[in-house]
Amino acid sequence: MEQLGLLFQGFAVALEPQNFVLMVIGIVLGVVIGVLPGLGGANGVAILLPLTFSLPPVSAVILLSCIYWGALFGGAITSILFNIPGEPWSVATTFDGYPMAQQGRAAEALTAAFTSSFVGAFFAIVLITFVAPAVAGFALKFGPPEFFAVMFLAFASFVGMSRTAPMKTLTAMMLGFLLAAVGMDTVTGQLRMTFGSVELMRGFDFLVLVIGLFGISEILLSIEEGLAFRGKQARITLSTVLRTWRELPRYWAISLRSSLIGCWMGITPAGATPASFMSYGVAKKMSRHGADFGKGRIEGVIAPETAAHAAGTSALLPMLALGVPGSPTAAVLLGGLMMWGLQPGPMLFVEQKDFVWGLIASMYMGNLVGLAIVLACVPAFAAILRIPFAVVASTILVVCAIGAYTVHNAWFDILLMLVFGVVGYVLKKLDYPLAPMVLALVLGDRTEQAFRQSLLMSQGDVAIFWANPLVATIMAAGIALLVWPLANWAWGQIGALARPKITETP
Amino acid sequence: MKAVTRALAAMTLAALANPAWAQATWEPTRPVTIVVPAGTGGGADQMARVIQGIVTKHSLMKQPMVVVNKAGGAGAEGFMDVKASRANPHTLLISLSNMFTTPLATGIPFSWKDVTPVKMMALDEFVLWVNAESPYQTPADLVAAAKAAPATGRLKMGGTGSKQEDQIITAALTQATGADFTYVPFRGGGEVAVQLVGKHIDATVNNPIEAVSHWKSGALRPLCVFDTKRLPYTEKVTATQGWSDIPTCQESGIDVEYLMLRGIFMGPGATPAQIGFYTDLLDKVRGTPEWKDLVASGAFNQTTLKGDEFKAWVAREEERHRALMQKAGFLAATN
Amino acid sequence: MSGSMQPRAAGVSRRAVEVVTASAFAAIGIVGLWDSSRIGAGWGTDGPQSGYFPFWIALIMTGASLFTLVSAWRDAGPDETFLTRPQLGLVLSILAPATAFVLAIAWAGLYVPAALLIAWFMARLGGYSWRAGLLTGASIAVLSFVTFEIWFLVPLPKGPLETWLGY
């Protein structure tokens, strides 16, 4: 058990008073950054990076990675309270988290979200601790065809979810794909649907659209029903946290499954966003209460949050072991490593044992400290809902504008956000489902890119998608998920057709 | 204010050798923005953030420095933005080769003449890499294998982006040797290197910093460097080899040379005093140990130019890109 | 648009909104089709061309929206109210200042319009005094300024006032 010894050395490093203080500072800053949609983890890490040059590398990376954990925790807060996902991977959390808040169960949703985040992250850290080298090897098996197969699986697990008008679902999803395609085509460098406009060359950023579609439209919907956010009368104390905790163990199966999905997607490296959608989709399909998802089921918060954090955490493994950043934040961290004279990549685990194990130990500590801090603040977060609508709504508008602007530093994006706020409002009222549209918007571009890269590699031969056991297995799983509800339905139809016939036979 | 005046006086004294700087009495009055025409985490972004870090740590400037990414349309957004900030001395642009390739490939109305060249910080090298388990020991082996491959199973060359430096080098390689490759574009250099380690592609032209750790771990093998002379870094990276042991591609009989600009520009209409201030600031940045670490770990070509020499270099480079891209058929239809 | 024959509250007809939305989607789809075929929507020797996926996506979208359009048009059932007059007024009471806010950012920067927006909401919709509104608005604007411009060094849009203050 060489790892355990190294890990305990790591704990000794992480628990030095200076490092512990930095950890707490990092978590608090990270939560602030996660709550403000204008600031992402990448901002926070990039801004503090220059300040860390005077620290030893271990302390610096502890500070920076704790900002990352804090931002991960913080992303769920606005999703649940205001239906505004601060980060792409919090979108799936809004599906059930926001309805829960509307029913006056905000504290319950927040507690479930934070606890699930912790469980997911913890699962991933244990994985990193004990099987790091083997897992890094697995990540190498993923080329473009495998990546496409994973994306296909994410779509397959999610479709067939809404039972509103199928033509509207189709339209919404296609609109998502079409918007994702605007801008530069990464495979050929061709500009698509930009019509000579520099503003459109940037493409439609996912966050800008989602802030409008979910956040702004929600303000319009709530004013329509009178000047109030529903659920504000709920009384929230710390005992809600304890009560929710007593319920959570019941959902251990969902947590375990979501952690596995998350780790797998984090390492491959598809990332936290597909992981959260896939986990939500699978939880819904496997649940007996599938029809109630989207109306405030606690499982609908647990599944995406667990998976997103398992993925976000395990994504650090390929970064450290292979030098590939899984997210912009990881990319900035990676730059930081180089500034401290550390070369990320396969040799880091061999040459910089103190650093690597100090970091891993700080992941355990950081997540534990983070959980304690955010849970203690649950009543405070939920109390935000008691602020009068006129103040909250206008402040949300301002914060959303800041959030939309900072994505690309473009005024045009603020305008776009407002336009999509109105679009989202109209679509919601006409029963166009927004979830498939958002899924297509987030994953469309990367899925198409992987598909075309694969075909470039095979020179146009689609057989590349079942050319080896790995890609064939994932594709088969995806097709099975697609066909399952269809087959179920068809089976039911056949049964229904067959029965009357039997009774008719004399 | 006194400290600043003193620092300025010292700066002026130090700059006396160059008469153009003697009247350098300008300094920034508000935060200085570096526009990065590329995404977070790429080479240009890293360099901008390192410069920001060095300026902050050594207090080289009174005003803070802010890094802003404008990556839309392969950097088009960032270029148009800086072009529009005429006579705004608080906006800098850090550029890479897409300063030439993006306008040529997309036809956006931008040319380097729309901005003011300040200083070339360094040049980034390109190295031809293959998987260490592949049979190719020399560039000639790879070229021979690429020529021998049937039309349906061409060797795959991975690179960053489309119609940008990596694909230009691949096209130049084909023109120089007659060996065909299938170019597969990816999003970033790190991803390209990992795809090569995983044997999903056959070769890459990664920058040194993107692939060095895989070389160290024995997963990748460098074949040749696309420069006119060998790299000056003699320290061993693996047990037996250092950067200086990699032959140039010309030595190996492949007449392809390509270096990527890492330079700082200002918007149009900058005054000599303003250019002087930034030239001096960037000189100080290049003198710090942090900068030297970065340059050594990335095996950069340390050529630096400023003023008219830099302008002439940029003009030459634009012509070269136009010629290279024309031969490869990458020019936008409108050009 | 609101026919007096139908048994529904005065306001915007749901069917009308349905038709307009579906037509807008169909129009977007047709624009997508046109642009995709311009850049090549075929299947080249090395897989699909740039316009291949957008073309099919746009085609499916156009088809699906036309279906929605026709079924909304032919729907014989009674029309519903999408939005009653008073509701429309409420929605506009938010949308109008929000639009003014976004447009104002373009030349006045973010902070001043933000303070005014908050003040407007509080005074006009929340029933606070203008003094309380302006005070709250200004403090939130200053707080954001300190957080973003000074603390996190994230530059946000700035107008004449900020320039005058030296930022």
Side-chain angles (χ1 to χ4, degrees):
Chain A
M1 279 276 95
E2 192 203 355
Q3 278 102 334
L4 272 186
L6 289 166
L7 182 62
F8 282 114
Q9 276 174 29
F11 274 121
V13 175
L15 281 174
E16 282 167 23
Q18 187 203 0
N19 291 345
F20 190 77
V21 170
L22 285 174
M23 199 180 282
V24 175
I25 295 175
I27 295 281
V28 173
L29 268 179
V31 173
V32 171
I33 287 167
V35 168
L36 293 174
L39 295 168
N43 280 113
V45 174
I47 289 153
L48 286 176
L49 194 57
L51 306 180
T52 58
F53 293 149
S54 46
L55 296 171
V58 181
S59 309
V61 84
I62 287 176
L63 174 67
L64 296 180
S65 64
C66 280
I67 291 180
Y68 184 60
W69 310 133
L72 282 173
F73 278 119
I77 298 170
T78 45
S79 304
I80 291 172
L81 296 184
F82 303 119
N83 208 25
I84 301 171
E87 310 282 350
W89 54 80
S90 317
V91 173
T93 311
T94 63
F95 296 161
D96 279 275
Y98 183 66
M100 282 180 79
Q102 282 181 315
Q103 294 156 14
R105 291 154 68 207
E108 205 183 320
L110 285 171
T111 308
F114 294 149
T115 314
S116 311
S117 308
F118 174 77
V119 170
F122 193 83
F123 189 92
I125 304 166
V126 172
L127 190 84
I128 292 182
T129 312
F130 294 103
V131 291
V135 166
F138 180 65
L140 284 175
K141 293 202 180 359
F142 280 77
E146 289 80 8
F147 194 77
F148 171 76
V150 169
M151 286 300 177
F152 174 69
L153 186 62
F155 275 110
S157 63
F158 204 74
V159 296
M161 278 197 28
S162 65
R163 61 207 83 250
T164 46
M167 282 301 152
K168 287 187 172 174
T169 310
L170 201 59
T171 308
M173 194 161 193
M174 292 304 136
L175 182 66
F177 277 125
L178 204 63
L179 291 174
V182 172
M184 185 167 277
D185 166 19
T186 37
V187 177
T188 59
Q190 172 85 46
L191 289 170
R192 297 196 290 201
M193 287 173 277
T194 58
F195 311 105
S197 150
V198 177
E199 301 288 358
L200 287 177
M201 265 183 208
R202 195 183 301 131
F204 290 100
D205 189 90
F206 162 80
L207 265 182
V208 175
L209 266 52
V210 166
I211 289 174
L213 285 173
F214 285 38
I216 305 290
S217 74
E218 198 53 44
I219 296 181
L220 297 177
L221 281 175
S222 17
I223 184 132
E224 194 189 296
E225 289 161 24
L227 279 179
F229 274 103
R230 284 148 290 184
K232 69 168 184 175
Q233 55 286 74
R235 294 203 41 211
I236 293 142
T237 55
L238 267 180
S239 70
T240 323
V241 173
L242 297 175
R243 197 163 37 89
T244 313
W245 266 11
R246 272 202 296 277
E247 276 178 43
L248 287 179
R250 219 186 297 160
Y251 305 108
W252 65 272
I254 292 181
S255 298
L256 183 67
R257 196 172 56 219
S258 305
S259 301
L260 284 172
I261 292 176
C263 287
W264 178 43
M265 298 295 268
I267 290 163
T268 51
T273 313
S276 63
F277 279 106
M278 194 192 272
S279 172
Y280 184 91
V282 170
K284 183 176 168 144
K285 281 196 176 166
M286 311 264 289
S287 166
R288 264 174 296 138
H289 309 287
D292 292 337
F293 271 60
K295 295 178 191 156
R297 295 289 305 180
I298 199 166
E299 297 100 306
V301 174
I302 296 173
E305 280 292 313
T306 312
H309 289 242
T313 308
S314 55
L316 286 181
L317 182 60
M319 173 187 122
L320 292 171
L322 302 171
V324 197
S327 68
T329 315
V332 178
L333 268 179
L334 208 63
L337 291 183
M338 293 193 221
M339 278 298 289
W340 302 314
L342 300 171
Q343 188 68 56
M347 299 312 284
L348 198 63
F349 279 82
V350 182
E351 290 174 352
Q352 302 285 349
K353 285 202 170 92
D354 281 356
F355 172 82
V356 170
W357 290 99
L359 173 63
I360 291 178
S362 85
M363 290 182 186
Y364 283 99
M365 297 299 305
N367 269 293
L368 202 61
V369 172
L371 181 68
I373 292 177
V374 290
L375 279 181
C377 294
V378 163
F381 294 136
I384 297 174
L385 289 179
R386 275 183 239 146
I387 300 173
F389 178 83
V391 183
V392 168
S394 52
T395 310
I396 288 178
L397 270 171
V398 170
V399 172
C400 284
I402 294 176
Y405 178 81
T406 45
V407 174
H408 289 299
N409 301 291
W411 174 80
F412 183 74
D413 280 348
I414 307 183
L415 190 65
L416 214 56
M417 167 201 86
L418 191 66
V419 170
F420 274 88
V422 178
V423 170
Y425 169 73
V426 172
L427 293 190
K428 266 186 204 166
K429 291 206 71 167
L430 292 179
D431 299 324
Y432 281 87
L434 293 185
M437 176 171 166
V438 169
L439 181 74
L441 196 58
V442 188
L443 303 184
D445 220 14
R446 294 167 72 194
T447 311
E448 186 201 350
Q449 193 192 358
F451 184 79
R452 288 170 57 198
Q453 280 169 342
S454 312
L455 287 181
L456 274 177
M457 293 173 63
S458 68
Q459 296 186 317
D461 186 358
V462 286
I464 191 166
F465 295 117
W466 48 88
N468 67 55
L470 180 63
V471 63
T473 312
I474 305 173
M475 287 300 283
I479 291 170
L481 268 177
L482 265 188
V483 172
W484 184 16
L486 212 76
N488 240 343
W489 176 82
W491 197 244
Q493 293 290 308
I494 292 170
L497 279 177
R499 239 168 279 125
K501 265 188 194 157
I502 295 164
T503 50
E504 270 168 28
T505 13
Chain B
M1 279 317 282
K2 218 167 195 174
V4 184
T5 335
R6 217 178 300 139
L8 263 177
M11 217 182 280
T12 322
L13 275 176
L16 267 181
N18 186 331
W21 301 353
Q23 65 270 25
T25 49
W26 184 85
E27 69 164 321
T29 52
R30 57 188 63 173
V32 173
T33 309
I34 305 187
V35 175
V36 181
T40 323
D45 180 64
Q46 267 177 33
M47 189 169 279
R49 292 187 193 279
V50 168
I51 293 174
Q52 179 201 21
I54 292 172
V55 168
T56 314
K57 184 178 174 188
H58 295 273
S59 313
L60 298 180
M61 192 166 70
K62 190 147 185 287
Q63 292 288 339
M65 193 172 243
V66 185
V67 177
V68 171
N69 297 81
K70 288 192 180 257
E77 194 196 345
F79 296 128
M80 297 310 278
D81 189 63
V82 175
K83 180 181 174 180
S85 54
R86 165 167 292 279
N88 173 358
H90 298 102
T91 299
L92 298 178
L93 173 75
I94 183 161
S95 187
L96 48 158
S97 285
N98 66 353
M99 173 170 240
F100 311 116
T101 55
T102 298
L104 288 170
T106 63
I108 59 155
F110 176 84
S111 131
W112 68 271
K113 296 186 191 87
D114 294 329
V115 292
T116 313
V118 176
K119 191 170 175 65
M120 176 196 287
M121 296 300 285
L123 291 170
D124 211 345
E125 301 280 357
F126 287 83
V127 175
L128 183 62
W129 302 91
V130 292
N131 192 299
E133 289 168 27
S134 73
Y136 319 121
Q137 299 292 338
T138 65
D141 292 348
L142 182 72
V143 167
K147 278 185 177 164
T152 50
R154 280 193 301 223
L155 293 194
K156 296 179 281 278
M157 177 76 84
T160 309
S162 187
K163 295 180 187 165
Q164 290 179 29
E165 55 281 352
D166 287 6
Q167 196 172 7
I168 290 175
I169 298 174
T170 308
L173 203 60
T174 300
Q175 285 158 17
T177 62
D180 260 333
F181 293 93
T182 294
Y183 178 80
V184 187
F186 292 89
R187 289 213 165 174
E191 195 186 338
V192 175
V194 171
Q195 292 293 324
L196 183 59
V197 174
K199 296 185 201 161
H200 302 286
I201 46 180
D202 299 299
T204 71
V205 290
N206 272 126
N207 298 127
I209 202 163
E210 294 165 345
V212 60
S213 71
H214 300 287
W215 182 26
K216 227 187 231 181
S217 72
L220 297 186
R221 177 189 304 136
L223 294 183
C224 67
V225 53
F226 294 97
D227 199 348
T228 44
K229 54 183 188 298
R230 289 189 180 206
L231 301 180
Y233 306 93
T234 51
E235 201 186 326
K236 294 279 178 261
V237 176
T238 66
T240 53
Q241 274 191 311
W243 290 113
S244 59
D245 297 315
I246 308 173
T248 68
C249 295
Q250 281 168 341
E251 274 175 58
S252 325
I254 301 169
D255 191 14
V256 178
E257 181 242 322
Y258 192 91
L259 288 163
M260 177 151 74
L261 170 65
R262 301 276 187 209
I264 303 284
F265 296 77
M266 289 178 73
T271 68
Q274 291 160 353
I275 300 174
F277 172 83
Y278 288 116
T279 314
D280 192 53
L281 178 78
L282 294 168
D283 261 340
K284 285 188 202 151
V285 168
R286 291 186 84 251
T288 59
E290 288 85 359
W291 179 264
K292 288 183 175 131
D293 280 354
L294 175 85
V295 167
S297 68
F300 283 98
N301 181 319
Q302 299 198 30
T303 312
T304 175
L305 295 171
K306 60 192 174 221
D308 289 339
E309 272 178 304
F310 184 30
K311 248 179 230 169
W313 186 91
V314 173
R316 245 193 346 268
E317 200 65 2
E318 189 195 29
E319 273 322 299
R320 202 165 82 95
H321 276 91
R322 185 186 297 279
L324 280 169
M325 290 178 68
Q326 187 152 32
K327 260 197 259 173
F330 294 162
L331 290 188
T334 48
N335 279 28
Chain C
M1 293 234 173
S2 52
S4 54
M5 299 290 285
Q6 277 130 349
R8 60 183 178 82
V12 184
S13 140
R14 183 186 164 101
R15 192 177 294 161
V17 179
E18 191 90 71
V19 166
V20 169
T21 311
S23 321
F25 281 144
I28 294 173
I30 289 167
V31 172
L33 283 176
W34 172 73
D35 188 75
S36 311
S37 37
R38 182 183 61 85
I39 57 176
W43 190 283
T45 46
D46 284 347
Q49 291 174 312
S50 284
Y52 181 83
F53 282 102
F55 182 86
W56 286 99
I57 287 162
L59 192 68
I60 296 173
M61 190 170 126
T62 313
S65 346
L66 287 178
F67 180 89
T68 313
L69 179 67
V70 170
S71 52
W73 198 268
R74 289 177 30 181
D75 184 10
D79 196 2
E80 290 166 44
T81 311
F82 182 77
L83 207 57
T84 63
R85 286 258 165 77
Q87 279 177 330
L88 182 66
L90 279 173
V91 170
L92 284 181
S93 74
I94 286 207
L95 207 52
T99 313
F101 165 65
V102 172
L103 295 178
I105 293 175
W107 61 273
L110 184 119
Y111 302 103
V112 178
L116 293 178
L117 179 81
I118 293 168
W120 175 273
F121 266 59
M122 286 178 66
R124 296 299 298 266
L125 305 176
Y128 293 83
S129 71
W130 273 99
R131 224 172 70 112
L134 282 171
L135 218 65
T136 316
S139 0
I140 292 178
V142 169
L143 187 71
S144 340
F145 188 84
V146 172
T147 315
F148 288 95
E149 303 282 341
I150 297 174
W151 198 23
F152 283 108
L153 293 181
V154 174
L156 295 178
K158 286 179 280 292
L161 179 69
E162 290 86 354
T163 313
W164 181 70
L165 288 172
Y167 276 91

